[in-house]
Amino acid sequence: MSATGLVAIGASWGGLRALETVLGALPEDFAAPVVIAQHRQADATDGTLVRLLDARCALTVCEAEDKQELDPGLVLVAPPDYHLLVEPGAVALSVDPPLNYSRPAIDVLFGSVAHAYGERAVGVVLTGANADGALGLAQIAGRGGTAIVQDPETAERREMPEAALWATPEARVLELTQIAPALTGLAGTREESAR
Amino acid sequence: MNGVDEHDEARERIEIDLLLEAIQRRYGYDFRGYALASLRRRLWHRTYGEGLQTLSGLQERVLHDPACMDRLLRDLSINVTEMFRDPSFHRALRERVFPLLRTYPFVRVWNAGCSTGEEIYSLAIALREEGLLDRTRIYATDIDDGALERARSGSFPLDRMQRYTENYQRAGGSDAFSSYYTASGASARFDPALAAGMVFAQHNLVTDGSFNEFQLIVCRNVLIYFGPKLQEEVLGLFGQSMTRRGILALGRKESIRHSTHADEYEPLVESEKIFRRRS
């Protein structure tokens, strides 16, 4: 079994392009489930983000439904205007008040990931213009999980990666194109796991 | 952060279990079947809000101080909502569900988990515009008396009205939204005639039973807070509380797919999670 149980990604301003780059370079048989909190308008309910991502990567990308199971290689994106949380093996949604002016909030997702997956969690903070995700990434690292931050120099907006690095100085700093290979190195592919 | 500590996790789980049992035995509210991830966040939110450091500390205070229980209950039960939340859902109600309700001489609607009432007023406005309000009784229930009190008042923050007006129009509303309320200080007070057919009652989906039969049950973004087993029980309760071919409307991202009750329903508007009983 892969040592990585779950990959959680947080993104804000510039996130669509960054997510395309990361998800687009993950292999079809990527061995871990992926959950994503991307900031967006509450009424962006037409599914455009998910359709774009799904069309451009080998993995299946869909908007998370409550209690949906986490399967290897399945990418679940937080629906607009909901917080996405995980429990061992499945996701849960909430309409609790926005955190950091955001719903979905990356901190809410990462906090639940740290709790449910401990050292088997990987948290990734991508481009953004606020500090959401910093606290959650520190929680993931604090429970022995792996913290990865997009190099602020290469991020469309550097504030969010910088805040994450301030909170988790030991995080791995990677250029955008290096993130997918690093994730594949951590989680492996299902072919490898079957061996 | 002190690195990984499995004991922390195990200890927290014990504290949560003990706290929930204490609440159940002392006050009768049963949160033991709630979805853990959200429940945990909300319990910690109240713990810090009380100036406490541990869930055990919260347990002690809740046991000795009913006012603290009231605050916790509010944290655990209030769902932030808005009028005509998800306009496409409300449009689907109007276009696909109301024509079915029209075939009944008298209509009963249950808004389960009505919180502070934004949804029932949205329903009442749409029902009135479709000429159905006079023969409809809307039962609005919630676990929290405080929320019901606010729902009963029919007043919502005035500064939300611009947003609600946009939602209303996108939901297919045809009148001037402002004709439904009068401004009073910072509140928008809704036309009392809208509330003529509303019945408010405290009802706990976890511990209370069926109390009537409804043609339409609206329960949006409540089941997401429940664990799978509790979701199953509540879907059973809804089944017992519906007329033949009754309609169930859930939140946009809620599902009955994994439930043993799934076969009892057919999708009426699949994208909006509106289902109809097969019998």
Side-chain angles (χ1 to χ4, degrees):
Chain A
M1 190 169 74
S2 163
T4 295
L6 181 69
V7 173
I9 304 177
S12 185
W13 187 315
L16 174 60
R17 256 196 291 174
L19 285 169
E20 273 178 11
T21 305
V22 174
L23 297 179
L26 291 178
E28 191 179 3
D29 59 349
F30 187 70
V34 180
V35 288
I36 294 175
Q38 157 75 51
H39 292 164
R40 49 192 163 143
Q41 293 293 320
D43 48 9
T45 51
D46 56 356
T48 310
L49 173 80
V50 163
R51 263 204 315 280
L52 283 173
L53 291 175
D54 189 53
R56 287 172 202 184
C57 74
L59 304 177
T60 301
V61 184
C62 56
E63 239 171 45
E65 258 188 12
D66 185 48
K67 307 295 181 290
Q68 191 170 354
E69 285 177 16
L70 291 162
D71 290 327
L74 177 65
V75 182
L76 295 179
V77 180
D81 218 15
Y82 285 89
H83 289 302
L84 176 66
L85 300 94
V86 303
E87 301 190 349
V91 299
L93 299 175
S94 107
V95 287
D96 281 4
L99 184 68
N100 309 321
Y101 307 100
S102 306
R103 188 169 64 197
I106 302 164
D107 278 339
V108 171
L109 174 63
F110 282 13
S112 70
V113 167
H115 187 257
Y117 281 85
E119 56 189 15
R120 298 178 63 226
V122 179
V124 184
V125 172
L126 300 176
T127 170
N130 55 75
D132 193 18
L135 186 65
L137 192 71
Q139 286 174 331
I140 288 176
R143 292 197 183 268
T146 305
I148 294 175
V149 176
Q150 181 181 2
D151 183 353
E153 298 299 327
T154 69
E156 193 164 327
R157 290 300 296 258
R158 57 187 303 147
E159 291 89 337
M160 206 163 85
E162 275 178 344
L165 279 173
W166 186 81
T168 312
E170 70 272 29
R172 289 169 69 177
V173 181
L174 296 175
E175 278 183 34
L176 193 56
T177 51
Q178 295 171 343
I179 292 176
L183 293 176
T184 310
L186 285 165
T189 59
R190 272 168 281 164
E191 196 188 337
E192 289 165 8
S193 341
R195 254 180 232 155
Chain B
M1 305 284 161
N2 298 321
V4 205
D5 188 345
E6 292 290 331
H7 298 297
D8 277 357
E9 298 283 317
R11 184 176 58 206
E12 186 192 70
R13 187 63 224 223
I14 293 170
E15 288 182 290
I16 290 176
D17 288 349
L18 292 174
L19 170 60
L20 299 183
E21 188 184 336
I23 292 169
Q24 195 275 325
R25 288 177 56 183
R26 173 84 166 84
Y27 297 99
Y29 296 111
D30 192 352
F31 294 103
R32 292 172 296 185
Y34 273 48
L36 187 62
S38 292
L39 180 67
R40 196 179 156 269
R41 270 196 85 230
R42 289 173 160 199
L43 291 175
W44 276 111
H45 178 78
R46 178 50 28 213
T47 302
Y48 294 137
E50 298 288 319
L52 298 166
Q53 301 300 318
T54 65
L55 295 171
S56 304
L58 183 63
Q59 179 193 319
E60 183 187 5
R61 184 165 299 176
V62 159
L63 274 174
H64 292 274
D65 180 2
C68 177
M69 182 63 223
D70 283 345
R71 294 190 290 273
L72 176 58
L73 182 62
R74 210 129 299 161
D75 285 350
L76 291 177
S77 60
I78 288 219
N79 298 324
V80 183
T81 182
E82 55 184 40
M83 292 187 76
F84 296 98
R85 180 183 159 105
D86 302 327
S88 59
F89 166 79
H90 285 275
R91 185 180 279 274
L93 272 189
R94 198 187 276 249
E95 292 174 355
R96 303 287 302 282
V97 176
F98 288 5
L100 298 172
L101 298 183
R102 209 181 292 284
T103 61
Y104 297 95
F106 189 74
V107 180
R108 281 183 304 271
V109 178
W110 180 15
N111 186 199
C114 69
S115 193
T116 44
E118 284 81 350
E119 197 140 68
I120 27 169
Y121 275 84
S122 308
L123 289 169
I125 287 169
L127 286 164
R128 182 202 270 186
E129 289 180 7
E130 299 299 322
L132 283 164
L133 188 61
D134 289 345
R135 54 175 147 133
T136 303
R137 182 144 292 171
I138 309 176
Y139 293 76
T141 65
D142 201 90
I143 184 177
D144 177 18
D145 259 338
L148 279 174
E149 202 49 54
R150 285 173 59 192
R152 216 175 260 128
S153 77
S155 289
F156 304 106
L158 191 59
D159 60 10
R160 302 291 288 147
M161 289 307 130
Q162 191 182 345
R163 163 94 183 156
Y164 294 171
T165 303
E166 289 164 19
N167 284 353
Y168 164 77
Q169 286 163 351
R170 289 171 57 205
S174 50
D175 287 352
F177 188 64
S178 58
S179 68
Y180 288 109
Y181 63 86
T182 50
S184 164
S187 296
R189 190 183 285 246
F190 277 72
D191 183 353
L194 291 169
M198 292 180 189
V199 180
F200 296 88
Q202 193 188 28
H203 181 276
N204 186 337
L205 288 170
V206 183
T207 49
D208 294 335
S210 175
F211 60 96
N212 210 327
E213 284 194 341
F214 302 91
Q215 282 91 8
L216 169 64
I217 297 178
V218 179
C219 182
R220 309 194 71 219
N221 299 318
V222 174
L223 294 182
I224 52 178
Y225 289 101
F226 296 169
K229 184 163 165 284
L230 186 51
Q231 285 190 350
E232 191 68 14
E233 287 169 19
V234 174
L235 286 171
L237 171 66
F238 289 161
Q240 292 161 20
S241 308
M242 247 182 234
T243 56
R244 215 183 141 268
R245 302 283 280 146
I247 295 157
L248 175 64
L250 300 177
R252 188 160 45 86
K253 290 293 162 185
E254 290 173 321
S255 172
I256 57 169
R257 209 172 353 171
H258 301 293
S259 162
T260 58
H261 297 288
D263 293 343
E264 298 162 17
Y265 295 89
E266 61 192 21
L268 184 62
V269 186
E270 188 139 38
S271 58
E272 301 297 341
K273 302 297 160 64
I274 302 175
F275 305 94
R276 187 169 197 200
R277 278 187 80 79
R278 291 184 194 276
S279 61

